Amino acid sequence: MERSGRFRVYRVVESVPHVNVQAVDSPTLYSVYQSGYGDLQPAVDGLETGDLIEATLAGDPDDDTEPWRLAAVDRIDRVRTAFAVDVDPPEVARECWTPDRTEPAYTVLTEDGAPVGVCGVQPRAPLPNGAFVPNVLTGLLPLESEFASVPRLCEPAVEAVFLDPDPPEASSYAWPYGVVYLFTRPSTALAERLRERYDCPLDADTRPVFDPYAIRR
């Protein structure tokens, strides 16, 4: 069976032989092989977390053990992403958090008096295993609505930075939330300072090294 449409890419680390893609028009997540594509392989190799693609997937929807394959893929847009783990959360995130929160909360960021993005906190409580960045990277934290319309700004995101105050393999957490920055303007000074502070430049693969499936076993 084939499924065609738009999907958001959530690319896991190289130790896992597939990527996850989430349908834009539904919360359906597909695991997709990342090798064995012949002439299509360079396009697959170029996919990164945050890419928006037009694609055709081929597979068996009744077989949960067998990943799907890409029959066609074309990247049409990208939210450029960066990640840092085991870091101190910024003050703006601490101020955004309130005890016993069960839903995300966002505060608007400005530069030269104009809004350029938001900083948000995501409670760990509703996430599988309480992990933040692993769930982002594997697509288990759906972000399509936030990418399409950044909360409180109602504009599409162009850049994102995800910060986890704890390491991916943590079994208990010093902080009850993860931090997400969504920017609606590219290459702002605020975003550059943030990436410098947390050592996650846009031109480098800053995904943490971990096996997200080993964490969940």
Side-chain angles (χ1 to χ4, degrees):
M1 179 179 291
E2 291 190 345
R3 300 279 173 84
S4 296
R6 291 191 173 191
F7 304 86
R8 185 71 65 176
V9 175
Y10 294 90
R11 188 178 180 92
V12 297
V13 293
E14 294 303 318
S15 60
V16 180
H18 60 264
V19 301
N20 286 346
V21 298
Q22 189 171 73
V24 168
D25 58 358
S26 75
T28 307
L29 190 70
Y30 299 88
S31 291
V32 178
Y33 282 112
Q34 68 176 16
S35 62
Y37 288 104
D39 292 343
L40 193 62
Q41 192 64 53
V44 177
D45 290 341
L47 296 178
E48 293 290 348
T49 296
D51 285 355
L52 182 65
I53 60 174
E54 292 270 10
T56 297
L57 311 183
D60 182 355
D62 296 322
D63 187 354
D64 293 335
T65 64
E66 182 70 15
W68 292 62
R69 298 195 67 83
L70 286 163
V73 61
D74 182 26
R75 184 175 67 83
I76 58 175
D77 201 0
R78 170 177 288 171
V79 176
R80 301 176 72 188
T81 56
F83 305 88
V85 300
D86 201 10
V87 296
D88 291 330
E91 188 63 31
V92 64
R94 302 185 199 196
E95 293 174 353
C96 195
W97 176 257
T98 55
D100 301 319
R101 173 171 288 280
T102 59
E103 297 293 333
Y106 299 91
T107 186
V108 174
L109 307 171
T110 62
E111 187 168 288
D112 298 326
V116 296
V118 298
C119 175
V121 289
Q122 165 68 54
R124 290 187 187 278
L127 303 179
N129 295 87
F132 179 61
V133 160
N135 286 309
V136 174
L137 286 174
T138 53
L140 298 178
L141 179 62
L143 290 165
E144 192 55 41
S145 61
E146 286 81 359
F147 283 164
S149 181
V150 171
R152 301 187 61 183
L153 296 184
C154 301
E155 298 180 49
V158 296
E159 296 176 4
V161 178
F162 300 95
L163 307 176
D164 198 332
D166 291 284
E169 69 276 7
S171 58
S172 61
Y173 301 101
W175 299 88
Y177 56 85
V179 181
V180 55
Y181 281 81
L182 298 172
F183 293 98
T184 57
R185 302 288 184 272
S187 305
T188 62
L190 192 158
E192 292 301 318
R193 291 194 300 270
L194 177 71
R195 293 191 180 90
E196 182 177 0
R197 173 181 176 182
Y198 291 105
D199 192 25
C200 51
L202 280 178
D203 58 352
D205 187 344
T206 60
R207 293 170 295 175
V209 177
F210 72 102
D211 181 346
Y213 302 97
I215 291 173
R216 290 178 173 80
R217 286 196 288 269

